[in-house]
Amino acid sequence: MTELLNMELYTFLLIFLRIGGAVMFMPGFNASYINTQFRLCIALSLTVILMPFLNDKLPPLPQNFADIFQILIFEITYGIFIGIFMQILMAAINLAGNLIGQAIGFSNAQMFDPTFQQQSIIVDSFLTFVALTVIFVTDLHHLMLSAVIESYSLFPVGSEFLSNDMAQSVSQTLSKSFVIGFKIGSPFVAFAIVFYVGMGLLSRLMPQLNIFFLSMPLQIYLGAGLLCLTLPVMIVWFIKYYEDGLQLFLR
């Protein structure tokens, strides 16, 4: 009975550390407005549900405590890595929000972003909320949880720690997120270039015109109109990129 209880506790810890580490950092679950106890309950519930299904993917209980401790450290590291990887995918929409906010004159209009617990441009916070809402409405969070479960095939428990592969995937995903974020915000970059060139020419043609009082409202109105037109396309583009990024963990 003691051996059976030790094995069950060992199995529970292996699954809980990876799933708990991922849930604590996954988009939509790591926000400050999500209670820590609630996130802990989600991780515990998922662990209890998945124990019978993942039991065959776990190695036997090592006899050496140092080996057990090493495996547990590896598991929580894998879980944190998966959660941070999903946050890196979300960085694309954050970059696009910053580009849009600066292009339409909202760079100084900032608000507290409870998702990242810091001040951010209001357009950035708006796009993040919309993206997270679409992720949960379209049940894409199920794919996020599936990615955590399928990671047991990508990162087997008790195997060699794949630090080089993890670092390479993070660097590649960062570069892809930057490119996608710039592409999503590229219409507003073009809008800012055309608008400022036009205002510069107008100030040269009519020096007596107070260009500041004319350009600021016009920039906000035109930028907000362009945002309303392009918002559905931007969100669909980002959701497709986010879904493709999760395929790294899926078979």
Side-chain angles (χ1 to χ4, degrees):
M1 180 63 69
T2 303
E3 183 179 354
L4 179 61
L5 291 176
N6 291 336
M7 188 63 189
E8 290 296 326
L9 179 61
Y10 169 72
T11 303
F12 175 82
L13 284 177
L14 285 183
I15 300 176
F16 174 73
L17 289 178
R18 182 178 295 201
I19 294 179
V23 169
M24 289 297 174
F25 288 90
M26 277 168 37
F29 294 93
N30 70 324
S32 60
Y33 49 80
I34 303 296
N35 191 280
T36 304
Q37 288 78 6
F38 180 73
R39 282 180 280 176
L40 183 61
C41 290
I42 293 177
L44 288 173
S45 302
L46 291 174
T47 302
V48 173
I49 294 172
L50 295 174
M51 281 180 63
F53 301 98
L54 298 177
N55 193 27
D56 57 338
K57 296 184 178 181
L58 303 180
L61 178 63
Q63 300 299 324
N64 190 355
F65 177 77
D67 295 336
I68 298 177
F69 184 75
Q70 182 182 23
I71 292 176
L72 295 179
I73 292 297
F74 285 177
E75 286 304 294
I76 194 172
T77 304
Y78 284 139
I80 294 174
F81 164 73
I82 296 170
I84 293 178
F85 182 87
M86 297 178 185
Q87 286 289 349
I88 294 174
L89 295 176
M90 287 291 297
I93 201 68
N94 299 131
L95 175 61
N98 278 276
L99 291 175
I100 294 171
Q102 294 176 10
I104 66 178
F106 281 175
S107 58
N108 291 325
Q110 299 187 359
M111 62 175 292
F112 179 75
D113 188 354
T115 303
F116 298 99
Q117 301 184 13
Q118 63 182 6
Q119 293 289 334
S120 62
I121 299 175
I122 191 170
V123 180
D124 181 12
S125 301
F126 171 72
L127 290 180
T128 302
F129 289 148
V130 173
L132 287 176
T133 302
V134 174
I135 286 174
F136 282 90
V137 168
T138 58
D139 290 336
L140 199 58
H141 61 290
H142 294 170
L143 192 63
M144 295 162 56
L145 297 176
S146 298
V148 179
I149 298 171
E150 292 295 334
S151 67
Y152 283 92
S153 299
L154 187 63
F155 304 118
V157 180
S159 62
E160 182 182 358
F161 189 68
L162 305 176
S163 57
N164 293 332
D165 294 339
M166 293 166 62
Q168 184 178 3
S169 62
V170 167
S171 62
Q172 291 177 352
T173 307
L174 274 173
S175 62
K176 289 181 181 178
S177 295
F178 177 82
V179 172
I180 294 297
F182 187 82
K183 287 182 178 179
I184 293 175
S186 58
F188 294 87
V189 175
F191 163 76
I193 294 174
V194 173
F195 181 82
Y196 286 123
V197 169
M199 290 296 102
L201 292 175
L202 185 61
S203 64
R204 288 295 184 179
L205 295 174
M206 301 178 63
Q208 68 278 11
L209 180 65
N210 193 332
I211 199 66
F212 177 79
F213 289 99
L214 175 65
S215 63
M216 184 58 67
L218 188 61
Q219 183 182 11
I220 293 175
Y221 289 144
L222 293 178
L226 182 60
L227 179 61
C228 292
L229 291 175
T230 58
L231 180 61
V233 179
M234 290 191 298
I235 295 300
V236 170
W237 195 349
F238 168 74
I239 292 299
K240 183 65 170 61
Y241 164 71
Y242 193 80
E243 183 178 3
D244 292 340
L246 293 177
Q247 297 298 325
L248 175 65
F249 299 95
L250 302 176
R251 291 179 296 178

